[in-house]
Amino acid sequence: MIDRKVLWKPFTANREFNADPRIFVKSDGMYYYTNKGEKILDAVSGLWCCNLGNNHPKVVEAIKEQAETMYYNTSFQIGNDLELELANELVSITPEALNHVFFTNSGSESVESALKMALAYHKAVGNGTKTMILGREHSYHGVNFGGISVGGLTNNKRHYNNLLKVAHIPTILDIKNNAFSKGIPEHGANKAEALLDTINIYGAENIAALIMEPVAGSAGVHIPPKGYLQRVSQICKENDILLIFDEVITGFGRLGEAFASTKFGVTPDIMTMAKGLTNGAIPMGAVVASDKIYDGIVDNCKTPIEFFHGYTYSGHPIASAAGIATLKAYKEENLFEKVANIASYWQEQLHTLKGSDKIIDIRNLGLVGAIHFGAENGVAGVRGDKVFKECYKKGLLVRVSGDIIALSPAFIVSKEDIQTIVTTLKEVIENLD
């Protein structure tokens, strides 16, 4: 028998998992299949990744074809045609003025790259004192040192010292005033004014950038109230603070538009992405910067290499091929439009779960949803973990974050699939202790 302890799994209760592992061996469309012959409906697109559904044939074929031609080239001083093609495909759907693509291998690396871009920009244009980065409470920006520093999830930080010096503006979650909102909450635009308080404390002359998720994903689907992002953007512009949107989760149609930036009508200076970029098939991320950022760094640089940063696998040929196939599939199958069309049905069905005394909030936007449970006997996380495990036993994969169940099905989800997701959740919730 294989010793499972040779494998150290990420964000996993390893002792518990090793005693009763959940193992997938195959995937197709909306489903995973286990080593026990079980069929599991995927209600989270793998991990917010597989927007096209699992094993999309066009992506699979693109990977196979490129692997046979050239599966790697050095990214330093050498290029390949596919990375350029993918970059052009990307800027065709990003907000106007975001025209410069820097490839990474993950969302975490995209965040680190974006933070370095922000600092490099201010130094290049003569704002040498602007070195501080702001984040927001309850935010997730990956797991590298920069990301967990600016991130606002306590558990991601508590075991590590020597993180970057940052400050955080308050969370946008407001269950008291916005519980069971359908779509964008009405109350809370004034929360943006906390950014001014933070600026008054540290001084605009010392703050380089603010990074935030337009819609917080890993924290449990926190949706910005009406007017909030617009006011944040305005304050940043007035104080020469760069605005970075982390769209690793919200990018590529999850809200019914190409990006949350488009959905909310707010264009940041820098935007990060990953996950849906290649439909989860090959690890890849990207940072898209504005003309202002690119020109500020490149035009003012005194050394041949303008931005001393990069990765061995930046613009990887196979990943680029997968990305091109993924973006083409989004367009050819009109999947962003499908999300926009099915979002109202998703909302309607999700909110039928309201009424249980165990649920304190339901949140949704586009094809994202969250069910927020109250703590069981004052102990956080117990109820959410129970729901995750019981749903799995009934053939449904959901995402658990503390006492929040997050949902983000693939864009190919049918009304029948949505009914199955909601019906299964209802059965599980009704049988909770």
Side-chain angles (χ1 to χ4, degrees):
M1 185 175 181
I2 297 175
D3 180 5
R4 294 208 59 84
K5 288 191 288 185
V6 299
L7 175 63
W8 197 343
K9 289 191 61 58
F11 281 113
T12 298
N14 278 263
R15 290 166 294 185
E16 179 184 289
F17 180 85
N18 290 340
D20 185 20
R22 292 172 286 274
I23 307 295
F24 290 163
V25 296
K26 179 184 174 183
S27 61
D28 180 52
M30 289 294 299
Y31 289 92
Y32 284 103
Y33 299 84
T34 77
N35 60 345
K36 298 177 182 178
E38 302 155 317
K39 186 177 180 181
I40 308 292
L41 177 60
D42 180 9
V44 287
S45 299
L47 192 61
W48 312 85
C49 299
C50 305
N51 297 343
L52 299 173
N54 295 294
N55 287 59
H56 192 283
K58 292 179 182 177
V59 180
V60 172
E61 185 57 35
I63 291 170
K64 287 181 178 179
E65 182 177 331
Q66 186 56 39
E68 292 175 348
T69 305
M70 178 179 71
Y71 63 65
Y72 178 75
N73 71 269
T74 175
S75 59
F76 303 162
Q77 308 295 338
I78 304 292
N80 66 74
D81 289 339
L82 292 170
E83 63 179 346
L84 180 59
E85 182 180 350
L86 179 56
N88 274 281
E89 288 288 334
L90 275 175
V91 299
S92 74
I93 60 172
T94 55
E96 190 176 353
L98 295 184
N99 294 320
H100 306 278
V101 181
F102 188 97
F103 285 115
T104 70
N105 307 300
S106 67
S108 291
E109 289 184 1
S110 293
V111 166
E112 302 298 304
S113 302
L115 298 181
K116 290 172 80 172
M117 276 183 193
L119 295 174
Y121 165 78
H122 281 298
K123 186 171 183 179
V125 299
N127 297 333
T129 64
K130 281 182 168 283
T131 59
M132 189 174 191
I133 307 289
L134 304 182
R136 188 175 64 196
E137 294 173 348
H138 293 172
S139 60
Y140 178 78
H141 299 296
V143 293
N144 293 340
F145 266 80
I148 60 173
S149 297
V150 296
L153 298 179
T154 304
N155 284 339
N156 287 4
K157 302 169 180 278
R158 66 170 74 250
H159 298 293
Y160 315 111
N161 298 321
N162 297 325
L163 299 180
L164 303 182
K165 181 182 177 182
V166 300
H168 293 84
I169 62 175
T171 180
I172 54 174
L173 184 63
D174 187 351
I175 293 178
K176 179 181 177 181
N177 293 305
N178 290 322
F180 301 100
S181 293
K182 293 182 176 181
I184 300 174
E186 291 286 342
H187 307 288
N190 61 316
K191 288 179 177 289
E193 304 305 317
L195 175 55
L196 283 175
D197 296 334
T198 304
I199 293 170
N200 288 334
I201 293 171
Y202 295 100
E205 70 278 8
N206 298 314
I207 301 172
L210 166 66
I211 183 170
M212 62 169 57
E213 300 163 281
V215 174
S218 295
V221 186
H222 300 175
I223 299 166
K226 291 181 179 178
Y228 172 85
L229 292 177
Q230 291 80 359
R231 178 59 177 146
V232 164
S233 177
Q234 180 185 20
I235 293 172
C236 285
K237 284 183 172 66
E238 290 172 352
N239 290 276
D240 195 18
I241 295 171
L242 300 179
L243 180 60
I244 304 170
F245 273 179
D246 185 342
E247 294 232 29
V248 168
I249 282 176
T250 51
F252 304 106
R254 179 57 56 184
L255 304 183
E257 299 272 2
F259 296 95
S261 309
T262 314
K263 174 78 172 178
F264 289 98
V266 176
T267 300
D269 298 286
I270 302 172
M271 189 164 67
T272 68
M273 59 187 73
K275 294 188 183 292
L277 174 56
T278 63
N279 201 49
I282 300 287
M284 191 179 211
V287 182
V288 184
S290 67
D291 297 336
K292 167 183 161 181
I293 302 301
Y294 181 85
D295 294 341
I297 293 174
V298 172
D299 291 350
N300 290 289
C301 187
K302 303 296 191 293
T303 58
I305 295 175
E306 302 93 351
F307 186 46
F308 272 82
H309 177 64
Y311 301 100
T312 300
Y313 300 110
S314 292
H316 191 280
I318 298 179
S320 296
I324 293 165
T326 298
L327 295 190
K328 286 183 177 178
Y330 287 143
K331 290 180 180 178
E332 291 167 1
E333 298 172 28
N334 297 313
L335 288 175
F336 298 171
E337 293 82 357
K338 182 181 179 187
V339 171
N341 290 334
I342 205 169
S344 59
Y345 184 79
W346 170 251
Q347 173 177 282
E348 171 194 327
Q349 291 300 307
L350 201 61
H351 281 269
T352 63
L353 296 170
K354 181 180 178 181
S356 169
D357 59 359
K358 299 175 182 68
I359 298 175
I360 62 174
D361 193 16
I362 296 173
R363 303 183 283 274
N364 71 278
L365 189 65
L367 204 49
V368 180
I371 303 155
H372 197 151
F373 297 96
E376 183 176 298
N377 299 320
V379 181
V382 174
R383 190 164 276 155
D385 188 58
K386 284 182 178 179
V387 173
F388 165 73
K389 290 174 180 174
E390 290 303 313
C391 282
Y392 186 86
K393 289 177 184 177
K394 291 180 177 292
L396 178 68
L397 180 65
V398 298
R399 174 91 171 97
V400 61
S401 177
D403 278 316
I404 300 167
I405 294 298
L407 303 163
S408 55
F411 302 168
I412 61 171
V413 68
S414 66
K415 289 185 176 180
E416 291 73 24
D417 292 329
I418 291 173
Q419 289 171 0
T420 299
I421 292 168
V422 172
T423 299
T424 303
L425 280 163
K426 189 170 186 178
E427 291 174 358
V428 169
I429 294 166
E430 287 176 348
N431 289 305
L432 285 173
D433 296 336

